[in-house]
Amino acid sequence: MTARGWFLFSLMGVVWGIPYLMIKVAVDAPLSPSMVVFTRCALGAVLLLPFALRQGGLTRTVRAHWRPMLAFACIEIIGPWFTLTDAERHLSSSTAGLLIAGVPIVGVLMARFFGDTERLGTRRVAGLALGLSGVTVLTVPHLTGGDARSLAEVLLTVLGYATAPLIAARYLKDVPTLQLTAPCLALAAIVYAPAAAVTWPSSVPSAHVLASLAGLGVICTAVAFVAFLELIKEVGPTRSTVITYVNPAVAVAAGALFLGENLTVGIAVAFTLILAGSVLATAGPGVRRAERAAAVAVPVPVTEAGALGWRGRPRPGIGRGWAGLPGAEG
């Protein structure tokens, strides 16, 4: 990965590790999930729209790509941000952050539906199994009362977060980052505006709640989305979701430090399993396999290969050029 890729990766690891803390502070205020989502989307749209308009051609871009942009907005923002925010009314920010660590695992599976024909292999299958074991360890203690619904909401969020980067990489790779992000955030803000108006608080929230909302809108939405889409373009959709290796650690640390959330043995075991599973599930081919593939792909000069061709068998009529390529035989 390039230096730029590592910078974007590190930035995203932090800025998408702290939203769980800020969301928890907001919903415990208590603010409605609709208002929280509306506020962060509206702030993000207000900050990014002027820059998107300044680039020119925003209307033309939306007209040309409105279908995949609508799908991206619904699957990445409108649906998941509400379900995650609503879930944190009953789950700790640490639990929510750890569950989101399953995104790379789900991303590997979803990539199969988007035409990824790469063979999974034993290592990646083992990673999927480990990751799912970690999710199981984390969720079983919460499968009671309102927690079951909250867990389902987080899992829907995971599905959305795993699918949206694939849509962006396949159908929106030529769309400028700002011209994708700003309209999607504006649409989400419009969708949640009526519900936010109905549930608007009767009094001004406290300073730390307002700071959390501002942080969600500015840092975790406007800045983070631009960086994330650039990261997708830099390293690809599947590898970009590996930021969720770092996000849970940041979420757990922030929850323990600022909210006094407990660090239990179950959380430690779940984090280890999910992290190990995600690393294995998203790993590329091994070094030896990659070397073998490269050896097959590299053409051999006829002057070196002689008349024996690729596997030591005589090849008639070899002339000048590269063995095995069109035009090599004459």
Side-chain angles (χ1 to χ4, degrees), residues 203-229:
S203 59
V204 178
S206 63
H208 72 282
V209 173
L210 293 176
S212 294
L213 292 174
L216 276 173
V218 177
I219 299 174
C220 304
T221 301
V223 173
F225 244 121
V226 172
F228 182 56
L229 291 172

Side-chain angles (χ1 to χ4, degrees), residues 282-320:
T282 58
V287 175
R288 291 184 180 178
R289 189 189 306 171
E291 289 175 349
R292 288 197 299 268
V296 172
V298 174
V300 179
V302 172
T303 54
E304 296 179 9
L308 294 181
W310 290 100
R311 302 183 182 275
R313 294 190 295 270
R315 295 187 60 176
I318 294 181
R320 290 177 295 178

Side-chain angles (χ1 to χ4, degrees), residues 71-256:
F72 181 83
C74 292
I75 296 173
E76 174 72 21
I77 303 173
I78 296 174
W81 285 9
F82 178 85
T83 53
L84 176 62
T85 304
D86 190 58
E88 285 205 45
R89 294 191 300 159
H90 302 286
L91 297 177
S92 68
S93 63
S94 301
T95 300
L98 283 171
L99 286 172
I100 296 298
V103 168
I105 300 170
V106 178
V108 170
L109 297 174
M110 292 303 301
R112 316 299 289 184
F113 294 96
F114 281 78
D116 183 5
T117 58
E118 181 182 354
R119 183 174 174 270
L120 286 179
T122 304
R123 179 170 54 178
R124 299 182 76 180
V125 171
L128 292 173
L130 272 179
L132 292 175
S133 299
V135 172
T136 301
V137 169
L138 191 64
T139 57
V140 166
H142 297 277
L143 293 177
T144 57
D147 285 350
R149 171 186 167 181
S150 300
L151 290 171
E153 289 180 319
V154 177
L155 294 178
L156 284 174
T157 304
V158 168
L159 181 62
Y161 283 175
T163 306
L166 298 170
I167 294 174
R170 182 163 184 173
Y171 300 105
L172 299 167
K173 61 183 178 181
D174 296 326
V175 176
T177 298
L178 288 174
Q179 295 191 358
L180 170 59
T181 305
C184 290
L185 290 174
L187 175 63
I190 293 170
V191 169
Y192 283 105
V198 172
T199 59
W200 204 266
S202 56
S203 59
V204 178
S206 63
H208 72 282
V209 173
L210 293 176
S212 294
L213 292 174
L216 276 173
V218 177
I219 299 174
C220 304
T221 301
V223 173
F225 244 121
V226 172
F228 182 56
L229 291 172
E230 289 298 317
L231 181 63
I232 292 175
K233 294 177 181 179
E234 185 76 19
V235 303
T238 302
R239 292 179 67 191
S240 69
T241 62
V242 179
I243 56 170
T244 51
Y245 296 166
V246 183
N247 295 159
V250 175
V252 170

